[in-house]
């Protein structure tokens, strides 16, 4: 933070691939303006710069040298960034991934606001649903964050499904180590698991404009399920549209995107953002945005 005038001023950024369409700059800068902060949010796109995900360390050092207050980190750098940081929050260390880096006292400190982002969105959007048995599709970066949020929220048994079977197994094992032996499993058959499930969470990219369609056969859905999606471009995915048609309660990915941004904003500035205002701003951005072709 620089304080050469009465107004606090911050430069922050986003490191990732193909981040041109990201809502983050607008979401952060608009909220900062509402709070009377001078705040610039810059995109640092590794594809435009011709840098491999492993080059994230050099970009972090450059941002620190240039006086950035911090950066958000997104696909495909959330894991590769970890080894370049001086410190990690306990949650970021447990997840092995960061989406927020704050430069403080000359040190780069990593945080993960994706998982509390999903948690807060879930509490707001589906506060009273049954959570005895839940199916999670996707054991990648988002799936790992969502799994920790789900088990912290009290989901009794999480069934982890990924087309990459080893990935599902690795996530289920790490969840069992942290939360207990009976809390996470890899089901033998998705259709059978869904029949007895209370909820379904999609944390795969399927449903995005660049990956259209549904991540599972839609005939597996039933009206006793609630359905959450982390995809937020578009907000109404094919999965959510079908679930709503059946009468399921649903949660779109916009809430997670806003709450993770709000938590990062607070880490950067120390100021508490107005999340309801950010949610309204996000809805306008989503309405106005042309159909995205990248993540
Ligand atoms: P990733 O590539 O790390 O992981 C995706 C995983 O899904 C992979 O392991 C893949 O094998 C698996 N998969 C793909 N299709 C599948 C299917 N049909 N069934 C089961 N598994 C399948 O990607 P990621 O970084 O985890 O991102 C996933 C999605 O989450 C993206 O659309 C991203 O935009 C979104 N996301 C949203 C937020 C938010 O704030 N709402 C935050 C982070 C990521």
């Amino acid at each position: 933070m620089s304080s050469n005038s009465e107004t606090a001023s911050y430069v922050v950024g986003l490191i990732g691939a193909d981040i041109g369409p990201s809502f983050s700059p607008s979401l952060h800068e608009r909220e900062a303006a509402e709070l009377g902060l001078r705040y610039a949010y810059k995109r640092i796109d590794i594809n435009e710069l011709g840098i491999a995900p492993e080059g994230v360390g050099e970009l972090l050092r450059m941002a620190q040298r240039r006086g950035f207050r911090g950066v958000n980190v997104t696909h495909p750098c959330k894991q590769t960034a970890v080894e370049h940081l001086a410190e990690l929050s306990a949650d970021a260390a447990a997840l092995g991934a960061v989406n927020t880096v704050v430069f403080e006292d000359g040190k780069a400190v990593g945080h993960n606001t994706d998982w509390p982002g999903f948690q807060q969105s879930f509490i707001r959007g589906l506060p009273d649903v049954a959570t005895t048995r839940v199916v999670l599709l996707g054991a990648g970066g988002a799936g790992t964050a969502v799994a920790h949020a789900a088990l912290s929220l009290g989901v009794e048994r999480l069934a982890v499904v990924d087309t990459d079977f080893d990935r599902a197994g690795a996530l289920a094992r790490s969840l069992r180590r942290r939360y207990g032996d009976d809390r996470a499993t890899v089901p033998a058959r998705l259709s059978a698991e869904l029949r007895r499930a209370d909820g379904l969470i999609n944390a795969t990219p399927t449903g995005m404009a660049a990956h259209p369609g549904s991540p599972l056969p839609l005939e597996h859905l039933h009206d006793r399920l609630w359905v959450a999606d982390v995809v937020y471009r578009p907000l109404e995915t094919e999965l959510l549209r079908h679930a709503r048609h059946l009468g399921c309660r649903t949660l779109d990915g916009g809430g997670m995107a806003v709450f993770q941004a709000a938590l990062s904003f607070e880490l950067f500035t120390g100021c508490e953002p107005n999340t309801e205002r950010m949610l309204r701003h996000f809805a306008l951005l989503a309405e106005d945005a042309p159909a995205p072709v990248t993540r």
Side-chain angles (χ1 to χ4, degrees):
M1 175 187 130
S2 99
S3 53
N4 51 356
S5 71
E6 301 254 312
T7 312
S9 98
Y10 304 84
V11 180
V12 301
L14 172 64
I15 299 177
D18 300 328
I19 51 177
S22 170
F23 291 157
S24 293
S26 174
L27 207 52
H28 278 245
E29 287 178 352
R30 166 87 170 260
E31 185 58 22
E34 294 277 1
L35 295 171
L37 306 174
R38 287 163 54 112
Y39 192 99
Y41 192 111
K42 301 187 182 295
R43 290 181 177 84
I44 305 169
D45 192 316
I46 62 167
N47 280 355
E48 275 177 18
L49 296 168
I51 293 174
E54 294 69 34
V56 65
E58 186 45 45
L59 294 176
L60 287 167
R61 286 187 285 280
M62 180 206 72
Q64 190 168 9
R65 271 197 311 274
R66 292 192 180 175
F68 279 50
R69 170 62 180 145
V71 288
N72 284 130
V73 179
T74 188
H75 180 83
C77 301
K78 288 183 183 180
Q79 278 108 4
T80 52
V82 166
E83 64 184 284
H84 301 284
L85 304 174
E87 279 177 27
L88 289 176
S89 70
D91 295 332
L95 270 66
V98 296
N99 74 333
T100 306
V101 176
V102 183
F103 302 120
E104 47 195 25
D105 305 326
K107 283 185 313 205
V109 182
H111 301 264
N112 189 305
T113 69
D114 280 332
W115 85 265
F118 181 82
Q119 190 178 45
Q120 291 185 14
S121 174
F122 192 90
I123 290 168
R124 180 178 183 275
L126 294 173
D128 47 7
V129 292
T131 54
T132 305
R133 300 184 84 102
V134 173
V135 175
L136 169 67
L137 297 180
T144 302
V146 163
H148 283 269
L151 292 177
S152 307
L153 279 163
V155 165
E156 286 178 29
R157 196 174 163 90
L158 187 71
V160 182
V161 176
D162 197 299
T163 42
D164 180 338
F165 196 74
D166 290 343
R167 225 172 179 189
L171 177 57
R173 275 194 301 282
S174 93
L175 294 169
R176 285 196 293 269
R177 274 196 300 276
R178 189 164 185 205
Y179 294 96
D181 275 348
D182 54 345
R183 303 287 302 281
T185 171
V186 177
R189 288 188 57 228
L190 173 60
S191 54
E193 190 64 31
L194 275 170
R195 270 199 296 278
R196 52 189 180 170
D198 302 307
L200 168 68
I201 307 170
N202 176 42
T204 80
T206 306
M208 298 174 74
H211 302 276
S214 164
L216 80 171
L218 289 170
E219 59 270 22
H220 289 344
L221 299 186
H222 55 78
D223 62 4
R224 301 178 311 284
L225 278 175
W226 52 260
V227 181
D229 208 326
V230 304
V231 171
Y232 61 93
R233 301 190 73 175
L235 278 175
E236 182 168 76
T237 57
E238 190 172 328
L239 174 66
L240 291 188
R241 194 164 42 250
H242 190 79
R244 284 175 189 146
H245 181 71
L246 287 177
C248 302
R249 292 183 64 185
T250 60
L251 180 71
D252 67 45
M256 178 181 179
V258 168
F259 284 108
Q260 64 77 23
L263 289 160
S264 293
F265 182 94
E266 193 162 352
L267 285 166
F268 293 146
T269 65
C271 299
E272 191 180 336
N274 180 327
T275 48
E276 291 303 320
R277 185 165 59 202
M278 289 180 79
L279 284 161
R280 286 196 297 278
H281 183 203
F282 184 91
L284 292 177
L285 289 170
E287 221 168 79
D288 291 349
V293 288
T294 56
R295 41 189 303 127

